[in-house]
């Protein structure tokens, strides 16, 4: 199949969260299955054409409201996936992707309406005829709408199906109704069955309504988002698409996340020879000025937002520190959590370290050097942190929600089986109790090593995810295998 994958951020070019990791790795995994995969994203200021070896591929005009905007396209030479960069300085030549430190960019609607409309225009300009256009989150949510309303008779798209992946339903691209004019399709789409949402336009809703198939990033989350508790106001719309809604668990690249070959950690190790993990722990303790000891060390690598459970973590700090457990947190996010966690670090100087940054080397050292990995999320569509932690033998302690419930097997003290420790209630007490349970098992080193090894042997590879996506693509594009292996 010919597949065009569209995302607003892609690692290693530009990243704010897990979407970039998936967009940077999943297309490669799908291409390795024998498909022609191309990728399109904005060219932000941090994407230097010279540094990434980009070349000019085309120039064309993009309809926007009642006018057209000219843009250029740069192209990578990277195999096995070609990446196209939509170049428009007035929209994308900015210090950050979506917002300043204080607020979202006020013209985000215009920026990403332009980006969505540029995607079918890119196909026309370059002569691409995709079987599937796979869009991701609200920033590309208008593409399925455009293909059905504006490009249905365009030859490039006569066999094209669309798939929308929802990475986090909490972010929907909701803007005031005056921005409807920028979409350029008239007012008939502004109704409860279209893109209208409480008197505003909702770009993610456009994708949900008009895509041929909708996916999200874990089976549990696909069920949760159809409920009022987790549906963020779109649970009814998603329930209507239930027959076309699929939960496909994200995966990680095991060649990249491999403690036996990771050169950014102090010592390499594996599930067969795990001894090097102790050296990683000592190195992390020494680097952060913690007492080098055998007591359990808890790590977090996370965005500092409400979704990640930082409210109950802050409330649980006295209990955790009372257990004598050092805690290391790496991440950035909302200023209020910066202040909250730094206050905790000041109070518990001998036990707590907070690094308000994102540093790939330190992140990997936490995954390798911590004994336990904490994810007390309010909700978690999938989560990649727990998969990486499992791979590195760092036992996850997490709330039973979304992808965390799908990837962590709660430890059973009767059988000694499990890969981590789960809790249900969103409360400081439940969090602290889960940590206590983990500490009890940690003190029995034979049982702890069994939990570590069980986690390291789990398979959350991208190859598994890629095969599931191809099955959805075939349904969305109406492609069926014929006897003998041909395709209609």
């Amino acid at each position: 199949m010919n597949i065009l994958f569209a995302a607003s951020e892609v690692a290693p070019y530009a990243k704010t969260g897990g979407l970039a990791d998936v967009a940077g790795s999943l297309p490669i995994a799908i291409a390795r299955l024998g498909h022609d995969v191309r990728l399109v994203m904005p060219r932000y200021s941090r994407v230097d054409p010279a540094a990434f070896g980009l070349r000019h591929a085309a120039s064309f005009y993009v309809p926007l409201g009642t006018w057209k905007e000219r843009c250029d396209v740069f192209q990578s030479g990277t195999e096995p996936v070609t990446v196209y960069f939509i170049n428009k300085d007035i929209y994308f030549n900015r210090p950050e992707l979506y917002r300043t430190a204080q607020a979202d960019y006020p013209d985000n609607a215009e920026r990403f309406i332009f980006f969505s409309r540029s995607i079918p225009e890119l196909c026309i300009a370059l002569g691409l005829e995709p079987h599937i256009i796979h869009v991701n989150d609200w920033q590309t949510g208008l593409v399925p709408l455009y293909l059905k309303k504006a490009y249905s008779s365009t030859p490039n798209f006569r066999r094209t199906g669309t798939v929308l992946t929802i990475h986090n339903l909490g972010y929907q691209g909701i803007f005031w109704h005056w921005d409807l004019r920028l979409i350029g399709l008239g007012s008939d789409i502004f109704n409860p069955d279209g893109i209208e949402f409480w008197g505003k336009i909702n770009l993610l809703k456009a994708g949900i309504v008009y895509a041929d198939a909708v996916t999200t990033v874990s089976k549990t989350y696909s069920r949760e988002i159809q409920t009022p508790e987790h549906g963020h106001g779109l649970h009814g719309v998603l329930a209507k698409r239930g027959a076309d809604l699929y939960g496909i668990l994200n995966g990680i690249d095991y060649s990249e996340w491999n403690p036996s070959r990771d050169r950014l950690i102090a010592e390499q190790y594996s599930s067969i020879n795990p001894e090097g993990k102790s050296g990683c722990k000592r190195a992390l303790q020494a680097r952060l000025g913690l007492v080098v000891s055998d007591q359990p060390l808890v790590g977090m690598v996370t965005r500092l937002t409400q979704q990640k459970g930082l409210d109950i973590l802050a409330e649980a700090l006295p209990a955790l520190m009372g257990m004598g457990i050092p805690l290391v947190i790496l991440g950035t996010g909302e200023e209020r959590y910066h202040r909250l966690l730094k206050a905790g670090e000041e109070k518990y100087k001998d036990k707590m370290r907070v690094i308000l940054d994102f540093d790939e080397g330190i992140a990997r050292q936490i995954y390798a050097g911590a004994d336990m990995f904490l994810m007390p999320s309010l909700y978690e569509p999938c989560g990649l942190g727990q998969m990486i932690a499992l791979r590195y033998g760092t036992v996850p302690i997490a709330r039973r929600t979304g992808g965390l419930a799908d990837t962590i097997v709660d430890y059973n003290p009767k059988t000694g089986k499990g890969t981590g420790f789960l809790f249900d209630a969103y409360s400081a007490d439940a969090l602290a109790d889960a940590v206590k349970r983990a500490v009890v098992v940690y003190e029995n080193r034979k049982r702890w090593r069994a939990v570590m090894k069980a986690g390291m042997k789990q398979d959350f590879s991208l190859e598994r995810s890629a095969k599931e996506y191809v099955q959805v693509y075939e349904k969305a594009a109406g492609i069926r295998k014929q006897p003998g292996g041909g395709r209609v």
Side-chain angles (χ1 to χ4, degrees):
M1 278 188 290
N2 300 328
I3 300 155
L4 180 62
F5 195 97
S8 60
E9 57 182 83
V10 179
Y13 305 105
K15 174 180 174 177
T16 66
L19 167 60
D21 293 316
V22 175
S25 55
L26 178 61
I28 295 173
I30 294 171
R32 286 173 177 161
L33 297 177
H35 302 281
D36 184 325
V37 185
R38 315 288 178 97
L39 199 155
V40 57
M41 65 173 290
R43 191 192 76 80
Y44 301 104
S45 59
R46 63 185 67 179
V47 182
D48 180 10
F52 286 105
L54 308 184
R55 62 178 177 83
H56 184 269
S59 299
F60 53 86
Y61 286 88
V62 178
L64 191 63
T66 58
W67 72 98
K68 293 184 177 182
E69 291 283 353
R70 185 182 186 277
C71 77
D72 298 306
V73 176
F74 290 97
Q75 175 180 332
S76 76
T78 306
E79 295 293 340
V81 174
T82 297
V83 184
Y84 300 111
F85 297 86
I86 301 298
N87 187 76
K88 186 68 175 176
D89 284 351
I90 62 170
Y91 295 135
F92 304 123
N93 187 18
R94 305 183 186 188
E96 299 298 333
L97 275 59
Y98 314 121
R99 57 176 291 136
T100 67
Q102 289 73 38
D104 291 347
Y105 290 127
D107 62 344
N108 271 350
E110 183 171 338
R111 298 173 73 220
F112 291 103
I113 290 171
F114 170 83
F115 178 54
S116 289
R117 190 69 185 258
S118 74
I119 292 167
E121 293 294 336
L122 168 76
C123 294
I124 296 169
L126 297 180
L128 304 180
E129 297 184 8
H131 295 110
I132 286 292
I133 298 181
H134 183 167
V135 301
N136 294 268
D137 282 347
W138 69 265
Q139 293 91 343
T140 50
L142 286 176
V143 175
L145 169 61
Y146 278 132
L147 260 62
K148 283 192 166 57
K149 295 289 187 178
Y151 297 91
S152 60
S153 61
T154 304
N156 300 68
F157 308 113
R158 66 187 184 277
R159 295 183 296 168
T160 302
T162 55
V163 175
L164 165 73
T165 295
I166 301 168
H167 294 264
N168 189 332
L169 191 62
Y171 301 91
Q172 297 179 12
I174 300 171
F175 302 98
W176 68 341
H177 69 281
W178 297 109
D179 287 325
L180 179 67
R181 65 184 177 82
L182 298 171
I183 297 174
L185 294 179
S187 60
D188 59 311
I189 61 172
F190 189 71
N191 61 72
D193 293 325
I195 71 170
E196 186 267 340
F197 185 77
W198 298 100
K200 299 182 178 181
I201 63 170
N202 186 318
L203 304 190
L204 183 64
K205 185 185 178 189
I208 295 170
V209 171
Y210 291 99
D212 295 303
V214 180
T215 73
T216 192
V217 290
S218 70
K219 294 189 184 304
T220 294
Y221 193 59
S222 71
R223 296 189 295 269
E224 289 176 342
I225 60 177
Q226 297 180 62
T227 67
E229 181 182 0
H230 295 285
H232 295 276
L234 291 178
H235 51 282
V237 179
L238 287 158
K240 286 183 181 179
R241 296 303 312 269
D244 305 309
L245 175 60
Y246 304 89
I248 300 177
L249 195 67
N250 283 337
I252 60 174
D253 185 342
Y254 278 6
S255 64
E256 176 184 353
W257 297 103
N258 186 348
S260 69
R261 294 187 296 187
D262 194 332
R263 298 303 173 189
L264 294 179
I265 63 178
E267 296 183 26
Q268 285 71 54
Y269 61 94
S270 67
S271 61
I272 299 173
N273 297 300
E275 289 73 19
K277 186 167 176 61
S278 297
C280 292
K281 179 178 178 178
R282 291 191 297 270
L284 179 62
Q285 290 170 325
R287 175 171 184 169
L288 299 179
L290 295 168
V291 174
V292 177
S293 73
D294 196 38
Q295 63 188 151
L297 176 61
V298 179
M300 290 181 72
V301 178
T302 185
R303 285 184 295 113
L304 303 181
T305 64
Q306 183 183 20
Q307 177 205 334
K308 299 301 183 179
L310 297 174
D311 295 308
I312 62 170
L313 172 65
E315 189 179 342
L317 280 179
L320 300 181
M321 297 297 104
M323 297 180 210
I325 301 173
L327 173 64
V328 178
I329 301 172
L330 172 69
T332 61
E334 298 175 26
E335 184 61 33
R336 58 176 169 150
Y337 294 118
H338 289 196
R339 294 194 299 268
L340 192 64
L341 293 175
K342 276 297 184 180
E345 181 183 47
E346 180 64 25
K347 184 175 181 179
Y348 304 107
K349 294 180 179 179
D350 59 334
K351 296 291 184 186
M352 186 171 174
R353 296 291 182 271
V354 178
I355 306 164
L356 298 177
D357 192 5
F358 186 80
D359 180 291
E360 181 73 16
I362 298 176
R364 287 176 179 266
Q365 289 158 28
I366 292 172
Y367 283 120
D371 297 295
M372 306 166 188
F373 193 82
L374 190 58
M375 296 183 72
S377 303
L378 176 62
Y379 68 94
E380 193 65 61
C382 176
L384 299 178
Q386 81 279 14
M387 298 181 190
I388 299 168
L390 287 165
R391 176 71 162 163
Y392 280 66
T394 302
V395 178
I397 303 170
R399 186 162 175 264
R400 197 192 314 264
T401 184
L404 301 177
D406 291 345
T407 52
I408 302 168
V409 179
D410 193 23
Y411 178 78
N412 185 332
K414 294 181 180 179
T415 64
K417 304 292 185 181
T419 61
F421 297 83
L422 296 173
F423 63 97
D424 293 292
Y426 186 69
S427 71
D429 288 343
L431 188 164
D433 182 65
V435 175
K436 288 178 185 176
R437 288 191 290 120
V439 171
V440 169
V441 179
Y442 178 85
E443 292 171 352
N444 183 325
R445 303 320 294 271
K446 182 178 180 180
R447 286 207 162 192
W448 186 259
R449 179 161 288 199
V451 176
M452 282 176 52
K453 287 188 173 184
M456 296 181 79
K457 293 176 180 178
Q458 297 299 298
D459 178 14
F460 298 115
S461 64
L462 279 168
E463 289 73 20
R464 171 196 49 76
S465 303
K467 290 175 182 177
E468 291 189 50
Y469 272 108
V470 170
Q471 292 175 353
V472 174
Y473 292 166
E474 290 180 340
K475 293 177 183 177
I479 297 173
R480 296 291 181 267
K481 291 182 179 179
Q482 294 178 329
R487 293 185 183 274
V488 177

